[in-house]
Amino acid sequence: MTVATHFQHKDGVLHAENVSLEQLAHDFGTPLYVYSRQALHDAWNSYHQAAQGRDVLVCYGMKANSNLAILNEFARLGTGFDIVSGGELARVIAAKGDPSKVVFSGVGKQRWEIEAALDAHIKCFNVESVAELERIATIAAEKGVKAPVSLRVNPDVDAKTHPYISTGLKDNKFGIDINIAPAIYAQAQQLPNLDIVGLDCHIGSQITQISPYLDALHKLILLIKQLQDQGIHLKHLDIGGGLGIRYTDETPATPTDLLSAVFQALDAADLGHLQLVLEPGRSMVGNAGVLLTQVEYLKSNQDKHFAIVNAAMNDLIRPTLYEAWHDVEAVRPRNNNATISYDIVGPICESGDWLAKDRTLNLEQGDLLAVMSAGAYAFTMASQYNTRPRAAEVIVDKQSVHLVRPREELHSLFESERLLD
Ligand SMILES: *Cc1c(COP(=O)(O)O)cnc(C)c1O
């Protein structure tokens, strides 16, 4: 789902599918994360169709949005999961996901996380360093099992995205330098408790063009050929996630654009037999959600105008963390022309607490606003900073509404804390 099709104005009011956001604000309060079930299905379908019936495993990059209802929905549609922690593995299991479709990425896998992943029989560890490879081999030997491994290589390509979400350049912390990968594969081959199953790379996020993927793929193909010469035959190639979505006026490449080009390159290299693994996160959920909020106050400091809303950087940190742009739409837009340019800010005591800057809107106190494209890296990055309860999450399915995480209660924010004697 690369555009927010399931959030449209009907009779002058913004809806999620067939439910008005005014109704949701009334029933559940604000701030509120609102997701569209149909948008989740559409996103899955866009990958499923792009696969053209070939052996493709979509391992949803679940750090984008890991609500159990969303994980369960994707699991029922057939996805696997790309996890980056033992906590995420526990979520997959709680959401009835299939561990044998789980790939485990991340530079800092701890012993307990590796043990849990081996016990759950995951599909593969995406190994990011020699030290990690050795730790996995040791733990697998202790358990008397073979650990399935891929090396996550760093292909040193520019994903042409924001530096904080670019991961495939040689000065990023991620992956193993592709130039030394043949030697590390050879080392892995000598370790009896490792089973070499694949090759992995993930070059960044919010990538809108396919050229960075193809630059990386070209290098991966050369590596796979070299491994074949070393007698190492892989089962799968994982090209990571990272496809972008439309936040404003981007025209991101689609899964079909990407996969058609990938299949063509693999077939040309006689590698069409490899299973293709993908790790899309943002493009599966980003435009399936909005953050609904209400204007508490309007205020002007000389010629600067602020709309102070009840959502804040603790609910959506992307603007202040990445200078990310999210569209802000009035739930019930007024007809007369807007002339005032507002910064949309939250109540948190930080100048960095803003959601959008310089937006021309016609606002009054009490208005509802929808911060668009808040399905990915919104709730999962939320905190309780300023002792703000994390907002509720609902999923709309046509006329129905499911509360999939209630608003946190104040007492729950500190109930586990203890006073000194
Ligand atoms: C975050 C992440 C993803 C998902 O990235 P998106 O840009 O959300 O598609 C996939 N793989 C790895 C290893 C990641 O860290």
Side-chain angles (χ1 to χ4, degrees), residues 63 82 105 152 202 205 241-242 279-282 377:
K63 72 179 187 289
D82 170 50
S105 305
R152 173 173 179 183
H202 170 74
S205 198
E279 302 171 351
R282 186 188 313 272
Y377 305 107

Side-chain angles (χ1 to χ4, degrees), residues 314-370:
N314 74 302
D315 304 296
L316 182 67
I317 204 174
R318 298 189 67 261
T320 193
L321 184 59
Y322 311 124
E323 297 195 321
W325 171 287
H326 284 258
D327 269 341
V328 176
E329 294 200 19
V331 169
R332 187 183 280 277
R334 294 194 175 78
N335 289 329
N336 40 342
N337 284 339
T339 50
I340 300 180
S341 179
Y342 289 99
D343 283 5
I344 315 291
V345 303
I348 286 184
C349 302
E350 298 275 347
S351 296
D353 181 26
W354 56 277
L355 299 175
K357 288 190 170 166
D358 296 326
R359 303 306 171 87
T360 306
L361 289 160
N362 191 339
L363 295 181
E364 287 179 13
Q365 188 168 325
D367 281 0
L368 292 170
L369 298 175

Side-chain angles (χ1 to χ4, degrees), residues 28-35 67 290-293 310-312 314-316 378-380 382-384 388-394 403-409 413:
F28 299 97
T30 53
L32 180 70
Y33 301 90
V34 181
Y35 310 121
N67 184 286
V290 303
L291 175 60
L292 183 59
T293 183
N310 62 6
N314 74 302
D315 304 296
L316 182 67
F379 184 87
T380 50
S383 76
Q384 299 162 330
R388 287 168 51 87
R390 282 179 296 177
E393 298 175 282
V394 298
L403 177 63
V404 294
R405 192 178 202 277
R407 187 175 308 282
E408 288 177 341
E409 308 249 9
L413 303 189

Side-chain angles (χ1 to χ4, degrees), residues 48-373:
H48 186 62
Q49 280 162 17
Q52 297 169 35
R54 297 178 51 143
D55 187 4
V56 173
L57 179 63
V58 175
C59 290
Y60 166 53
M62 64 180 274
K63 72 179 187 289
N65 188 325
S66 57
N67 184 286
L68 293 195
I70 289 179
L71 301 184
N72 178 257
E73 193 73 5
F74 283 146
R76 283 192 274 168
L77 292 169
T79 75
F81 298 93
D82 170 50
I83 65 169
V84 293
S85 71
E88 287 192 344
L89 177 60
R91 277 187 181 272
V92 168
I93 293 166
K96 303 191 174 69
D98 180 353
S100 74
K101 293 183 185 172
V102 165
V103 297
F104 190 173
S105 305
V107 295
K109 299 178 192 75
Q110 300 170 50
R111 169 172 265 274
W112 71 268
E113 295 176 308
I114 294 168
E115 288 174 351
L118 285 173
D119 292 345
H121 303 289
I122 67 163
K123 177 180 176 68
C124 181
F125 292 89
N126 291 335
V127 179
E128 306 221 16
S129 65
V130 176
E132 180 193 331
L133 190 74
E134 289 168 348
R135 180 180 279 180
I136 293 172
T138 303
I139 298 173
E142 286 167 14
K143 289 185 176 286
V145 297
K146 273 192 163 208
V149 294
S150 264
L151 294 195
R152 173 173 179 183
V153 297
N154 186 323
D156 193 24
V157 298
D158 184 355
K160 304 189 178 81
T161 183
H162 190 284
Y164 283 15
I165 51 178
S166 184
T167 55
L169 282 166
K170 63 178 180 324
D171 51 359
N172 296 133
K173 70 177 177 180
F174 298 101
I176 292 170
D177 175 359
I178 192 163
N179 298 305
I180 63 166
I184 316 249
Y185 270 103
Q187 190 180 340
Q189 211 178 6
Q190 301 307 313
L191 292 168
N193 292 89
L194 297 182
D195 187 12
I196 299 171
V197 292
L199 169 64
D200 170 50
C201 108
H202 170 74
I203 56 174
S205 198
Q206 188 54 16
I207 303 167
T208 54
Q209 308 162 39
I210 63 170
S211 58
Y213 287 100
L214 298 183
D215 293 346
L217 183 61
H218 178 69
K219 296 186 176 186
L220 298 174
I221 286 173
L222 293 176
L223 173 57
I224 296 170
K225 293 284 180 190
Q226 190 174 345
L227 295 178
Q228 284 179 342
D229 294 340
Q230 288 175 222
I232 295 172
H233 299 278
L234 307 179
K235 294 185 191 139
H236 75 248
L237 171 63
D238 181 341
I239 60 168
L243 259 194
I245 62 167
R246 172 174 287 189
Y247 284 99
T248 166
D249 55 2
E250 302 91 338
T251 48
T254 65
T256 296
D257 296 335
L258 175 61
L259 289 201
S260 304
V262 168
F263 291 148
Q264 202 177 1
L266 289 177
D267 290 347
D270 255 344
L271 295 173
H273 61 279
L274 288 175
Q275 180 188 47
L276 188 66
V277 176
L278 306 172
E279 302 171 351
R282 186 188 313 272
S283 54
M284 295 285 281
V285 289
N287 270 325
V290 303
L291 175 60
L292 183 59
T293 183
Q294 186 162 29
V295 176
E296 295 283 347
Y297 303 103
L298 298 176
K299 129 173 195 180
S300 301
N301 286 345
Q302 294 183 358
D303 45 8
K304 190 92 193 137
H305 304 287
F306 297 95
I308 302 166
V309 299
N310 62 6
M313 64 187 285
N314 74 302
D315 304 296
L316 182 67
I317 204 174
R318 298 189 67 261
T320 193
L321 184 59
Y322 311 124
E323 297 195 321
W325 171 287
H326 284 258
D327 269 341
V328 176
E329 294 200 19
V331 169
R332 187 183 280 277
R334 294 194 175 78
N335 289 329
N336 40 342
N337 284 339
T339 50
I340 300 180
S341 179
Y342 289 99
D343 283 5
I344 315 291
V345 303
I348 286 184
C349 302
E350 298 275 347
S351 296
D353 181 26
W354 56 277
L355 299 175
K357 288 190 170 166
D358 296 326
R359 303 306 171 87
T360 306
L361 289 160
N362 191 339
L363 295 181
E364 287 179 13
Q365 188 168 325
D367 281 0
L368 292 170
L369 298 175
V371 183
M372 307 302 289
S373 311

